[in-house]
Amino acid sequence: MVQLKTDTSIEAMREAGRVVAQILTAVRKAATVDVSLRELDEVAREVLRDAGAGSPFLNYRPHFAPTPFPAVICTSVNDAIVHGIPTDQRLRDGDLVSIDAGATLDGWVGDSAVSFTVGRARPADTRLIDTAFAALDAGIAAAVVGNRIGDIAHAIGAVCRTAGYGIPEGFGGHGVGRSMHEDPAVPNEGRPGRGMPLRHGMVLAIEPMLIGGGHDALHPDRDGWTLRTSDGSRAAHAEHTIAITDAGPRVLTAL
């Protein structure tokens, strides 16, 4: 069931979203050559502590996971698409890094992700990342009252497919509110004019995930969490939590 948020609730979610934006800013600044993924998680934990916020990621265990998630951010590097666990792996020059972060503040959740290159960027990686953010922008632009979920999905998928990239099978965005994953599901590809109508008060996490090699297949890593491209190509992930309002889409996780 989709829970419509009041304007007051949306304002509260904006405060949680600010914390998420602060996490991503701090982590991206700290993500330099030879820094470990676990050290980036510590940076994120410090931001949460300073804000008096909790983590919807820490100890989260969906049906597919063999163990609770042990960190407050997901750190996905190179061929990892999403859900990467922060480890002692150290970043190298040219790594493509995706950071997914969440925060819970006063009972409301924010969720957002960014992708970037550490050190010198490969032109192919820059194009992949830029396309992920272009797909996110297209999805947000379609998130207006009177459209449907399929319009968001189609807008995202059109950008990804036109650029020649793959879209991971079975993964996409979702509703956000008191918990991190709520109805409705928001696919990254679909037919316009189909699906649930968009209404004032819906809050969605829109999150394109792109596979650089052009194929859609993925596989889980041995840790049971990290999802990797099956062709070994690099991946990018971009995400914002947005509120659908009568005045247009409002990004709640912008800095």
Side-chain angles (χ1 to χ4, degrees):
M1 179 183 295
V2 175
Q3 299 290 332
L4 298 180
K5 279 68 177 180
T6 66
D7 291 348
T8 299
S9 297
I10 290 172
E11 289 300 327
M13 293 190 71
R14 171 60 176 143
E15 295 309 308
R18 289 185 202 276
V19 178
V20 179
Q22 291 164 4
I23 291 171
L24 293 176
T25 299
V27 169
R28 183 168 185 171
K29 182 178 180 181
T32 57
V33 173
D34 207 36
V35 170
S36 74
L37 303 181
R38 201 181 305 275
E39 288 170 334
L40 297 182
D41 187 65
E42 287 299 325
V43 170
R45 288 173 188 255
E46 184 175 356
V47 174
L48 287 170
R49 284 193 296 268
D50 289 346
S55 169
F57 289 19
L58 185 63
N59 295 321
Y60 180 62
R61 189 177 184 181
H63 65 89
F64 65 80
T67 58
F69 195 75
V72 302
I73 56 173
C74 298
T75 54
S76 305
V77 181
N78 296 332
D79 67 326
I81 306 166
V82 287
H83 303 164
I85 295 175
T87 64
D88 290 327
Q89 176 185 344
R90 294 191 176 276
L91 295 172
R92 298 179 299 178
D93 186 52
D95 278 345
L96 195 167
V97 182
S98 297
I99 303 293
D100 195 351
T104 303
L105 186 67
D106 296 328
W108 295 103
V109 174
D111 186 12
S112 184
V114 295
S115 294
F116 55 88
T117 301
V118 175
R120 291 168 292 184
R122 302 178 182 182
D125 289 348
T126 299
R127 179 174 178 266
L128 178 64
I129 293 168
D130 287 348
T131 304
F133 283 103
L136 175 60
D137 289 343
I140 293 172
V144 296
V145 173
N147 273 359
R148 293 177 176 265
I149 291 290
D151 294 302
I152 299 175
H154 176 73
I156 293 170
V159 172
C160 299
R161 295 301 190 190
T162 299
Y165 295 128
I167 299 172
E169 298 172 347
F171 289 87
H174 48 88
V176 184
R178 292 289 188 180
S179 63
M180 181 167 56
H181 291 121
E182 297 184 353
D183 291 333
V186 186
N188 284 329
E189 191 169 32
R191 297 177 64 182
R194 299 296 183 93
M196 181 178 295
L198 303 180
R199 298 171 58 191
H200 179 93
M202 293 176 69
V203 178
L204 308 174
I206 297 175
E207 51 177 325
M209 306 165 200
L210 282 64
I211 297 176
H215 301 286
D216 296 352
L218 69 160
H219 67 271
D221 204 343
R222 287 176 294 179
D223 62 21
W225 274 99
T226 308
L227 298 177
R228 296 189 181 276
T229 63
S230 291
D231 62 6
S233 64
R234 294 188 170 195
H237 179 203
E239 178 183 17
H240 269 310
T241 297
I242 65 106
I244 295 171
T245 77
D246 290 329
R250 181 181 179 191
V251 179
L252 303 181
T253 46
L255 187 62

